[in-house]
Amino acid sequence: MQEPQFDLFERDGRVQLVLRGAWTVSQIGSLDEALRAASNGLDSGNRPLIDCEQIAELDTAGAYLIDRTIREITAETPDIKGGEDAQALLIQARTVATRIEEAPKITEPGHGFIDLLERTGRGALHLWEELVESLSFFGAMLVSVAGVVLRPHKMRWTALVAVMEESGLDAVPIVAFLSFFVGMVVAFIGATTLSDFGATIFVVELVGFGLLRELAGVLAAIIIAGRTNSAFTAQIGAMKMRQEVDAMTTLGLEPMDVLVAPRVLAMVLMVPVLTFVAMVAGIAGGMTVSWMALDITPTVFLNRMQDYVPATQFWIGMSKAPVFGLVIALIGCRQGLQVGGSVQSLGQHTTKSVVQALFAIIVIDALFALFYMELGL
């Protein structure tokens, strides 16, 4: 391989650079200082000339070194004489170098009142964009689920059953365990407070109304949001990183039908089941505390609950569960499909998925409470 050589001179008011040999990354290391020394003192307002006719080989490293040398002499765009490949590499080097030089400077965020308003406005705009994109994804998801329901042969039953087992049945122990202790805590609080008024018997109504109407459904949804929602995002995000989702699209498979629809249907079916488990376990915890601390036997507890806690409270709590399941699956799948090609992106979207799901659960529960309050229930 020929060693790179050059002649750099000024003739007729024009800087000329004549190149010979192989200008590749493995050969040009010794030419850096020589080019800088040769370019000192050269200054011309005319367009320089780069003669590449005698170049044996040129790569991007050599093209950058040549272009840097010319830019240190003059800002004029050079005329290039030589092969088409050499001309293309030199033009590309000039374009990339110019783009880097013109990159905007990174400014530190301010801490004044105007900066606060700017960040607030930017956050509000981002929230609005997230809402619009979520509604768009919700519409696409409804179309996909409706298509699968109307044409059951398109449903991937194996995936549906697997998700139901993973997100539903496997979560029963932790939901029952935590709900049992929440029921005990509610009963303890009621016993401590109501004993001052001699009304400890009303612990039964406190446990019944609190768990059936609010706590059981919200607790089950929060557990699923932390346990299953993050799993959905991580699973789909890992598939995005390995380009499996792109492969599905190439094979003619719709990711919404393959990945989203089974998870949405599984959550809509299993969250009500987990909510029912939470209700039963929570009432059992409250009954245990009432029996041990207040001498209210299980028979008295259940009879009083049947007499004074209407079944409407049970159906109010159960009515929220499918909505919670739908929102959890929607957020988890959407964030998973937005994961980029890096592990950092996967972690960011998994965190965002859990936070958004918890926020949505609390907001939806508040909206349900207002709705049922207006109905007088």
Side-chain angles (χ1 to χ4, degrees):
M1 183 177 294
Q2 301 178 16
E3 293 186 1
Q5 300 176 357
F6 70 92
D7 291 322
L8 181 59
F9 54 88
E10 185 177 351
R11 178 180 296 170
D12 299 331
R14 187 180 195 187
V15 174
Q16 299 186 30
L17 177 60
V18 181
L19 307 171
R20 295 182 297 275
W23 287 70
T24 60
V25 67
S26 60
Q27 300 287 323
I28 62 176
S30 60
L31 293 179
D32 189 14
E33 294 183 2
L35 282 170
R36 290 183 183 275
S39 62
N40 286 336
L42 294 178
D43 188 10
S44 175
N46 298 325
R47 292 168 65 90
L49 173 65
I50 302 176
D51 187 348
C52 304
E53 290 185 342
Q54 302 179 56
I55 284 185
E57 191 174 354
L58 178 67
D59 63 8
T60 54
Y64 173 77
L65 181 60
I66 295 167
D67 179 72
R68 191 200 68 183
T69 302
I70 295 298
R71 283 188 290 108
E72 290 178 350
I73 298 173
T74 177
E76 294 290 332
T77 303
D79 293 326
I80 303 172
K81 181 181 179 182
E84 294 182 358
D85 293 340
Q87 293 185 27
L89 282 173
L90 289 170
I91 292 173
Q92 183 181 16
R94 171 57 64 102
T95 303
V96 172
T98 304
R99 187 182 303 128
I100 293 174
E101 291 174 354
E102 295 177 352
K105 295 182 179 180
I106 299 177
T107 57
E108 293 293 333
H111 302 285
F113 181 71
I114 301 299
D115 299 306
L116 174 62
L117 294 179
E118 181 182 355
R119 290 194 297 271
T120 304
R122 191 180 296 112
L125 180 61
H126 178 69
L127 179 62
W128 173 256
E129 292 174 351
E130 280 283 324
L131 179 61
V132 172
E133 292 177 3
S134 298
L135 290 175
S136 176
F137 187 82
F138 177 68
M141 180 270 296
L142 287 180
V143 172
S144 176
V145 172
V148 169
V149 171
L150 294 177
R151 290 174 288 182
H153 65 278
K154 294 184 62 178
M155 169 60 70
R156 299 183 177 274
W157 297 103
T158 303
L160 175 63
V161 174
V163 175
M164 290 176 65
E165 179 182 3
E166 180 182 352
S167 63
L169 295 180
D170 292 348
V172 168
I174 186 172
V175 170
F177 183 79
L178 294 180
S179 299
F180 181 84
F181 283 99
V182 168
M184 292 182 67
V185 170
V186 173
F188 269 123
I189 293 174
T192 302
T193 305
L194 296 175
S195 61
D196 296 337
F197 305 97
T200 54
I201 190 63
F202 291 106
V203 169
V204 178
E205 284 86 338
L206 178 63
V207 172
F209 278 91
L211 286 168
L212 294 181
R213 188 183 184 101
E214 294 291 341
L215 293 179
V218 173
L219 180 63
I222 288 175
I223 294 173
I224 295 301
R227 179 184 181 277
T228 304
N229 183 275
S230 57
F232 286 173
T233 304
Q235 291 167 358
I236 299 176
M239 296 179 68
K240 279 291 296 295
M241 292 173 58
R242 295 193 296 262
Q243 298 183 345
E244 295 179 21
V245 177
D246 296 334
M248 287 183 186
T249 306
T250 303
L251 294 173
L253 300 175
E254 180 58 45
M256 294 293 292
D257 296 339
V258 178
L259 300 176
V260 178
R263 286 172 168 80
V264 170
L265 291 175
M267 295 300 291
V268 170
L269 294 174
M270 294 309 299
V271 173
V273 175
L274 293 174
T275 301
F276 179 77
V277 171
M279 290 179 178
V280 174
I283 291 173
M287 186 189 307
T288 302
V289 171
S290 300
W291 190 12
M292 297 175 60
L294 304 176
D295 293 329
I296 300 176
T297 63
T299 302
V300 174
F301 188 98
L302 293 176
N303 288 337
R304 186 170 181 85
M305 178 171 287
Q306 184 177 2
D307 293 337
Y308 294 98
V309 180
T312 308
Q313 305 303 312
F314 169 79
W315 293 113
I316 288 176
M318 291 297 294
S319 65
K320 306 174 186 179
V323 180
F324 289 154
L326 177 65
V327 171
I328 290 172
L330 176 71
I331 294 174
C333 294
R334 176 176 174 267
Q335 292 298 329
L337 290 173
Q338 287 186 333
V339 171
S342 65
V343 177
Q344 182 180 7
S345 175
L346 178 61
Q348 290 175 347
H349 284 282
T350 302
T351 302
K352 186 184 295 185
S353 173
V354 175
V355 172
Q356 288 185 357
L358 294 176
F359 177 80
I361 289 169
I362 301 302
V363 171
I364 291 173
D365 184 65
L367 294 177
F368 266 108
L370 293 175
F371 175 74
Y372 286 125
M373 182 180 69
E374 292 295 327
L375 293 180
L377 298 177

